[in-house]
Structure formats: structure tokens, C-alpha cells
């Protein structure tokens, strides 16, 4: 995804989790790992936190009511927004995880990723369920 290249090549890659930690101790196992030659840093944020440093922002279910505002802030910034709440991709998140047939699948909102300045690989798109945003 092209947006991640905007930061300095040696700058840490920031994964931010907003609205609580649904992953528990699993986040500790990925923090500090190398991703594309960059160190991954994990931050747990509250709703008042500044998200501008985030390359990826996981929006936990308790933050659901703020999704549209968060998605609007991500536009043009190269920040990947993720979630695991039904309907998140249709409401503006770029990637949403969901259970299906005993497995975890994902859906991608291509329009939201384009507006954020991110290009998602065709190989990843082949594996995803593609969704469009709801229009009111």
C-alpha cells in the first residue's frame, strides 16, 4: 500500500488502536517487529488522541459511533483504517474483518482507500470481498 512510503524509510510504522484493545496481549507480540524494514510500534489511543502519527488505525467497536468522523480525517492522509464491526467498510473504513464459515475474512472499501491516497495491491483485492460505501 503506497501511502506507507510517505514517512521516512527508517521511521517506525505506527499501528494505533482506538476505542479499547480487543486483541489483549497479542498486541505485545507484534510491537517492535519489523515490517518492510521498519519497526512496528503499537499505540492504544483514547478518543481525544491525535491520530496524525498513525499509519494504520484499528477502530475497535466501542469507537463505532465516531467512524464517519474518523474516516473523514483519514481522507488524503495515507492512513489505513481497519475494523471488525459489521458494516464498517460500508460506512467508510478501508478494511473490515468478519467471521465466515469458521474463518476470518476481510472486505475492502476501495473508494475509501483511494480517497486516503492508498493503493491496494490487486493480489490482496482478489482475496477480499469488495464493498462500496452506503449513500444516504
Amino acid at each position: 500500500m503506497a501511502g506507507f512510503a510517505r514517512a521516512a524509510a527508517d521511521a517506525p510504522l505506527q499501528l494505533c488502536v482506538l476505542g479499547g484493545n480487543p486483541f489483549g496481549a497479542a498486541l505485545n507480540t507484534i510491537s517492535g517487529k519489523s515490517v518492510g524494514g521498519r519497526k512496528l510500534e503499537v499505540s492504544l489511543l483514547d478518543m481525544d488522541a491525535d491520530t496524525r502519527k498513525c499509519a494504520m488505525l484499528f477502530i475497535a467497536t466501542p469507537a463505532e459511533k465516531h467512524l464517519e468522523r474518523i474516516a473523514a480525517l483519514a481522507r488524503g492522509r495515507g492512513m489505513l483504517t481497519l475494523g471488525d464491526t459489521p458494516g464498517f467498510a460500508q460506512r467508510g473504513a478501508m478494511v473490515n474483518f468478519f467471521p465466515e464459515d469458521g474463518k476470518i475474512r476481510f472486505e475492502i472499501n476501495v473508494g475509501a482507500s483511494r480517497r486516503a491516497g492508498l493503493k491496494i495491491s490487486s493480489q490482496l483485492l482478489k482475496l477480499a470481498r469488495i464493498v462500496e460505501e452506503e449513500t444516504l
Side-chain angles (χ1 to χ4, degrees):
M1 289 180 227
F4 296 154
R6 291 183 189 159
D10 60 348
L13 187 61
Q14 296 285 333
L15 167 60
C16 302
V17 180
L18 183 68
N21 178 5
F23 306 106
L27 284 179
N28 296 332
T29 64
I30 64 169
S31 187
K33 301 283 186 190
S34 180
V35 176
R38 294 170 60 190
K39 181 180 154 191
L40 180 65
E41 289 184 357
V42 178
S43 300
L44 300 176
L45 305 179
D46 62 29
M47 289 310 302
D48 297 323
D50 183 357
T51 60
R52 288 180 289 187
K53 67 178 181 173
C54 305
M56 300 170 284
L57 179 65
F58 185 91
I59 305 154
T61 301
E64 175 181 6
K65 62 186 171 205
H66 303 286
L67 179 61
E68 286 77 10
R69 180 176 62 87
I70 295 164
L73 291 171
R75 289 188 185 116
R77 294 202 25 238
M79 179 174 57
L80 179 68
T81 54
L82 308 132
D84 66 352
T85 300
F88 257 24
Q90 291 86 349
R91 292 177 47 208
M94 294 169 214
V95 178
N96 191 56
F97 299 95
F98 62 94
E100 182 179 81
D101 299 328
K103 297 180 180 179
I104 299 297
R105 308 274 186 200
F106 63 99
E107 54 194 7
I108 295 177
N109 180 327
V110 177
S113 65
R114 276 194 205 116
R115 285 189 299 278
L118 297 175
K119 182 179 182 340
I120 299 176
S121 78
S122 59
Q123 290 84 4
L124 191 59
L125 290 172
K126 287 177 189 176
L127 300 172
R129 178 170 70 187
I130 307 301
V131 299
E132 296 183 21
E133 281 181 64
E134 298 171 342
T135 54
L136 301 176

